[in-house]
Each structure stands twice: as structure tokens, then as C-alpha cells.
Amino acid sequence: QVEKQFLLALASPRIVLVSDATNQNDSPCLTLSMAHLNLLRETNISSEGHSAKHSVFCNELEIFTCTANNLSPSSSLLCPVSISGSLTKSVQSKVSPQNLSGWVWVEELQARAAFTELTHAIDVYNGVTKQMESSKGRSIAHSTKDSSLSGNDEGSAVSQSIV
């Protein structure tokens, strides 16, 4: 039996989401600011099967609007909130189906936003979604090109299904 753990603990992390990563001028941004962010992955591999558990704890999450050329946050859209959750995936054998279970806990949410902040948040959401879709298409094309060069058709199918 093999057991592995990986813990990533960040103090005061900030994640900046930009509506258009190619435009460095006045693109609307959302900054996710936290007091602490902990990510834990636990893997257990045995002769009976394997399981993986992913846990997250985020303390004092706040969301600010800003622009790409001025990342200093204005007022928060979300009052500080703590969130935690866990997702466990287990597979007993190759013929049995996988089992997924999980939970999420969130404090009571309190939000406040002006109309312009809401439109900035919507622009960022739409922009990030569009960027993820276009990068997903590029990674599928890239993985297909790489596997066709190596002559491995099986690798092509695997890399396309992962993306």
C-alpha cells in the first residue's frame, strides 16, 4: 500500500482574473484576495484499488474589481467569507465504477456591489471563459500534433480525453 500527501499552504495569496489577457490597458479585472489558502491532496494506492482526496480551505476570501493597468483594489464585492470543501474519488477495480463523494461548507455570504462593479465582474467571467475555451482547443490540437509525430495513436486519445 502506498500513501502520499501533498499540501500547498499560501499566506495572503491573490489571484487576478483578467477579461482580456492580450490587452494590458483598461481590461476589467477581478482580484480574489485571501488571508490563507490551503490545498491538500491525499492519494492511497493499494492492491484493492486507489483513492484520491482533494481538500481546500480558504479563509477570508474577498473579491475586488480593478483594471489591468491599476491593480490596486477598490471596495470588495464580497464581505470576507471562509469556504472549505473536499472531494474524494475512489476506484476499487478496473471493472467497478468509480465512486465520487464530497462536501462544501460556506459561511453566510454578504455581498455589496454597484452596477459598474457587476458589469466588470460579468466581463471578466465572459473573458476568462472565452480564454479557457480557446486554450483548450489549442491544447487538444497540440497534443494531437505531438502524438502523431511520435506515431502513438493511443497517447493521442488519452491526451484528448484529459483536456
Side-chain angles (χ1 to χ4, degrees), residues 45-63:
I45 302 170
S46 67
S47 59
E48 293 88 36
H50 67 275
S51 66
K53 182 178 180 180
H54 303 270
S55 302
V56 64
F57 173 71
C58 175
N59 189 25
E60 295 184 20
L61 170 67
E62 293 184 89
I63 302 174

Side-chain angles (χ1 to χ4, degrees), residues 46-50 90-98 154:
S46 67
S47 59
E48 293 88 36
H50 67 275
S90 59
V91 178
Q92 298 305 321
S93 68
K94 292 187 180 199
V95 292
S96 66
Q98 67 181 9
E154 186 177 304

Side-chain angles (χ1 to χ4, degrees), residues 13-34 61-71 77 117 119-132:
R14 288 187 177 202
I15 301 171
V16 179
L17 303 172
V18 183
S19 66
D20 184 4
T22 61
N23 182 3
Q24 297 297 321
N25 295 328
D26 285 333
S27 292
C29 300
L30 288 179
T31 300
L32 286 66
S33 177
M34 297 154 257
L61 170 67
E62 293 184 89
I63 302 174
F64 298 95
T65 58
C66 55
T67 58
N69 61 358
N70 182 10
L71 292 177
L77 298 174
E117 291 173 325
T119 57
H120 275 226
I122 291 168
D123 288 345
V124 170
Y125 173 79
N126 289 335
V128 168
T129 302
K130 184 178 175 181
Q131 292 170 61
M132 289 177 64

Side-chain angles (χ1 to χ4, degrees), residues 6 29 39 43-44 53 70 80 96 110 113 122 144 150 157:
F6 174 76
C29 300
L39 302 168
T43 305
N44 185 348
K53 182 178 180 180
N70 182 10
S96 66
Q110 296 181 9
I122 291 168
T144 304
S150 66

Side-chain angles (χ1 to χ4, degrees), residues 132-150:
M132 289 177 64
E133 288 172 354
S134 70
S135 70
K136 186 177 183 181
R138 284 193 302 267
S139 67
I140 289 174
H142 183 66
S143 64
T144 304
K145 180 181 173 186
D146 287 348
S147 62
S148 66
L149 291 175
S150 66

